[in-house]
Amino acid sequence: MGYAIKTENLVKRYKDKTAVAGLTLEVKEGELIALLGVNGAGKTTTVKMLTCLTKPTEGRAEIMGCDVVKDSANVKRLVGVSPQDTSVAENLTVKENLEFMADLYLSKDKARSSVERTIKAFGLEEFSGKKAKLLSGGYKRKLSIAMAIIGEPKVLFLDEPTLGLDVLARRQLWREIEALKENMTIVLTTHYMEEAQALADRIVIMTEGNVKAIGTLEELENMTGRKGLEDVFVSIAERME
Amino acid sequence: MKRTMVFAKRNLIEVYRDPLSWIFCIAFPIVMLIIMSIVNSAIPKEAGNTLFRIDNLAGGIAIFGQMFIMLFTAIAVAKDRNGAFLTRLYSSPMKSGDFVWGYILPMLLTAVIQVCVSLAAAIVVSIVVGYSLNIAGLALAVAAVIPSALMFSAIGFLFGALFNEKAAPGICSIIISLGAMVGGIWFDVEGVGGFMYKLGRCLPFLYATKLARSAISMDFGVSEFLVPLGVVVFSAIALTILASIVFNSRMRADQR
């Protein structure tokens, strides 16, 4: 199995601030990787660079072998993004939102069948004719993720997908993300320890734009001699201060 | 092209599901047409004021209505930029041309519908007041105001790209007031002369009104039709290019 994502010394600098300082990372196809860190750790900037939303200052990154700078048109066909803020067309219905995204990526016939399949998979049948602005926060997030996967991406980026959701909505969304793991590579950014612990194959701990540790939970526990991701995270973050 | 049409369809639905766009783009111009016709009936013939006569009024109202198209284009673009919806689309295979025409095309269609409705209302008013309108002229006016529709959509697109959701409608309101004044819609700016007329000649609004009125009266004179047509077409193209450049640069800046 090849690598879905490869980055080499990826740097993003804004005037006097370094948002990401030399990220080197390899993510295998079919893997779910969690970028874990507090606010301002550089998680969202990393996602932005990997999805061609912003250009790296230094270094290089590839998605399924395509360079994010030189071959951005192809990268955009390979990735799906669910941004941090719920990004749906408010006056369109759930079905229209999905049709809109499907039509951007797929042929007409494929788009129609993909819409029906996605509505079913995400349990949105009851709301398909409802305007997006009338949905609850949890269902808006669901729709946002459904819109990100409807183009059949190879790599899916979920930026803080459960931010602000209640515990039930969060758990329900975890189940949807778990189900997606079989079909695509997923990069999840979060600052919820339990979310990374529950979903990720490997965890990348970031602070102040730097990668402090990468590994499975077990590897990170062995590395720090602590149990549970929260203690591991605190141990790593404090050691680096 | 496919993605442009997909995005245009989304924007069309968003506009048509907003009741304010129906009120301002369709209902308000018709209400103004009726009110000004009533005002015209109260003006003594001896005054020699033909500005609010239905043939002149119809052309002015067509352009006045398009100014609200500018307002709604600005709101649509600024609103999308403020939210995260465009972030999703920036990382999709859409290209900058898809964004530009995806915003402008639905507004052009709305403008054509708007002018058809306004001119149909003008026909009804003309029957009521007993003034004979040239139907061929009205049909020509529908085509003649397409360049000004593009111009106003482009101005709206430009303001939507430059300003946020709160500032853009305010700036557009200023342009609507300015355009209505120096565009000769509500008073004879040429007759007033002075600074107002000079300003009017420097801006494209007066030419847009002149073009619409000349089309309705089938007056194809150089100064009445050809010059205004040239100015409006040039302004529409120049402003569309400028708005596209500004939007692309803001698109990059938004993502930094």
Side-chain angles (χ1 to χ4, degrees):
Chain A
M1 198 177 278
Y3 289 107
I5 303 170
K6 264 180 133 173
T7 73
E8 216 177 288
N9 196 31
L10 204 60
V11 175
K12 183 66 189 180
R13 253 183 245 115
Y14 297 102
K15 287 181 184 167
D16 52 349
K17 190 180 178 271
T18 303
V20 176
L23 176 74
T24 300
L25 184 68
E26 286 176 339
V27 182
K28 289 190 197 111
E29 282 181 46
E31 197 175 12
L32 192 156
I33 194 155
L35 303 183
L36 182 68
V38 293
N39 291 335
K43 308 183 298 287
T44 299
T45 308
T46 302
V47 169
K48 281 186 173 181
M49 285 191 283
L50 295 176
T51 54
C52 310
L53 288 173
T54 189
K55 281 184 184 169
T57 314
E58 277 172 37
R60 59 192 308 263
E62 284 179 0
I63 302 286
M64 307 296 292
C66 300
D67 190 285
V68 295
V69 177
K70 292 177 194 153
D71 202 3
S72 62
N74 271 329
V75 171
K76 286 179 176 185
R77 285 189 190 93
L78 293 166
V79 301
V81 188
S82 177
Q84 201 171 93
D85 299 311
T86 311
S87 53
V88 298
E90 299 278 339
N91 275 324
L92 265 60
T93 64
V94 166
K95 192 175 181 186
E96 285 166 347
N97 265 291
L98 292 170
E99 281 172 348
F100 167 65
M101 289 307 290
D103 287 338
L104 288 182
Y105 289 86
L106 308 171
S107 66
K108 206 174 177 184
D109 291 342
K110 218 172 168 190
R112 294 292 157 267
S113 60
S114 185
V115 167
E116 296 306 326
R117 206 171 46 244
T118 308
I119 286 177
K120 225 173 186 179
F122 279 78
L124 291 166
E125 295 99 324
E126 200 186 325
F127 307 97
S128 71
K130 202 170 179 178
K131 280 185 191 169
K133 66 179 173 188
L134 302 175
L135 296 174
S136 67
Y139 274 97
K140 262 192 192 175
R141 290 284 166 141
K142 259 193 183 198
L143 174 60
S144 183
I145 296 174
M147 286 167 75
I149 64 137
I150 204 155
E152 299 174 0
K154 298 275 181 218
V155 184
L156 175 66
F157 292 88
L158 302 174
D159 195 3
E160 311 265 10
T162 63
L163 190 69
L165 295 188
D166 63 53
V167 67
L168 291 177
R170 183 180 298 164
R171 286 297 167 102
Q172 201 182 358
L173 213 50
W174 284 4
R175 284 194 287 275
E176 316 283 359
I177 296 168
E178 281 277 4
L180 294 173
K181 271 172 79 172
E182 294 165 16
N183 306 316
M184 58 193 77
T185 307
I186 302 176
V187 176
L188 169 89
T189 77
T190 182
H191 55 245
Y192 296 126
M193 309 292 156
E194 70 276 21
E195 187 160 287
Q197 191 166 338
L199 296 172
D201 297 319
R202 279 193 305 152
I203 297 156
V204 180
I205 296 179
M206 295 179 78
T207 58
E208 294 170 350
N210 292 294
V211 172
K212 300 298 183 188
I214 306 177
T216 61
L217 177 60
E218 203 183 347
E219 286 166 351
L220 295 174
E221 283 176 339
N222 290 339
M223 193 190 298
T224 56
R226 302 287 176 94
K227 275 274 167 217
L229 187 55
E230 192 165 330
D231 282 346
V232 167
F233 179 79
V234 171
S235 162
I236 291 171
E238 281 178 351
R239 196 194 308 162
M240 301 299 170
E241 271 175 9
Chain B
M1 189 63 188
K2 182 197 163 200
R3 291 189 183 104
T4 302
M5 299 316 287
V6 169
F7 188 49
K9 186 182 161 191
R10 174 260 168 178
N11 291 329
L12 197 63
I13 295 172
E14 289 268 2
V15 170
Y16 286 4
R17 287 198 182 147
D18 183 355
L20 283 179
S21 35
W22 288 95
I23 293 169
F24 282 101
C25 292
I26 304 289
F28 190 48
I30 293 175
V31 169
M32 290 304 288
L33 187 82
I34 294 166
I35 290 172
M36 289 304 166
S37 295
I38 294 168
V39 168
N40 188 52
S41 66
I43 298 173
K45 278 191 179 147
E46 299 75 47
N49 186 345
T50 58
L51 194 70
F52 298 147
R53 201 175 62 200
I54 191 62
D55 54 339
N56 283 328
L57 193 57
I61 289 288
I63 300 305
F64 181 62
Q66 288 185 345
M67 292 180 182
F68 290 96
I69 298 284
M70 165 183 72
L71 173 69
F72 280 91
T73 313
I75 293 172
V77 178
K79 207 172 163 184
D80 278 351
R81 278 187 51 240
N82 263 17
F85 189 66
L86 277 189
T87 305
R88 184 193 286 285
L89 299 185
Y90 290 158
S91 66
S92 79
M94 282 179 71
K95 297 196 166 68
S96 62
D98 297 326
F99 286 101
V100 175
W101 291 107
Y103 278 118
I104 287 179
L105 286 178
M107 294 306 175
L108 282 182
L109 181 64
T110 308
V112 170
I113 294 170
Q114 181 193 55
V115 75
C116 289
V117 172
S118 296
L119 295 181
I123 293 171
V124 175
V125 171
S126 74
I127 293 166
V128 173
V129 300
Y131 186 88
S132 174
L133 273 176
N134 186 337
I135 301 298
L138 292 176
L140 178 69
V142 174
V145 299
I146 288 174
S148 54
L150 175 62
M151 178 181 82
F152 283 114
S153 301
I155 297 172
F157 190 46
L158 179 66
F159 290 151
L162 281 173
F163 304 107
N164 65 28
E165 205 182 338
K166 282 179 185 160
I171 306 281
C172 285
S173 301
I174 294 170
I175 300 295
I176 291 173
S177 304
L178 179 75
M181 271 200 286
V182 301
I185 294 171
W186 303 131
F187 62 88
D188 179 11
V189 75
E190 286 190 60
V192 170
F195 175 73
M196 288 291 275
Y197 184 47
K198 276 181 191 161
L199 183 63
R201 286 183 64 184
C202 295
L203 296 168
F205 312 119
L206 181 61
Y207 299 96
T209 313
K210 248 189 182 180
L211 179 62
R213 284 179 177 152
S214 305
I216 290 172
S217 60
M218 305 277 273
D219 176 355
F220 302 121
V222 173
S223 66
E224 296 303 310
F225 188 84
L226 293 178
V227 171
L229 178 67
V231 171
V232 175
V233 167
F234 174 78
S235 303
I237 294 170
L239 284 162
T240 304
I241 293 169
L242 176 67
S244 309
I245 292 167
V246 170
F247 180 78
N248 285 337
S249 107
R250 296 299 296 203
M251 201 167 137
R252 284 191 290 273
D254 283 348
Q255 296 308 321
R256 255 170 222 154

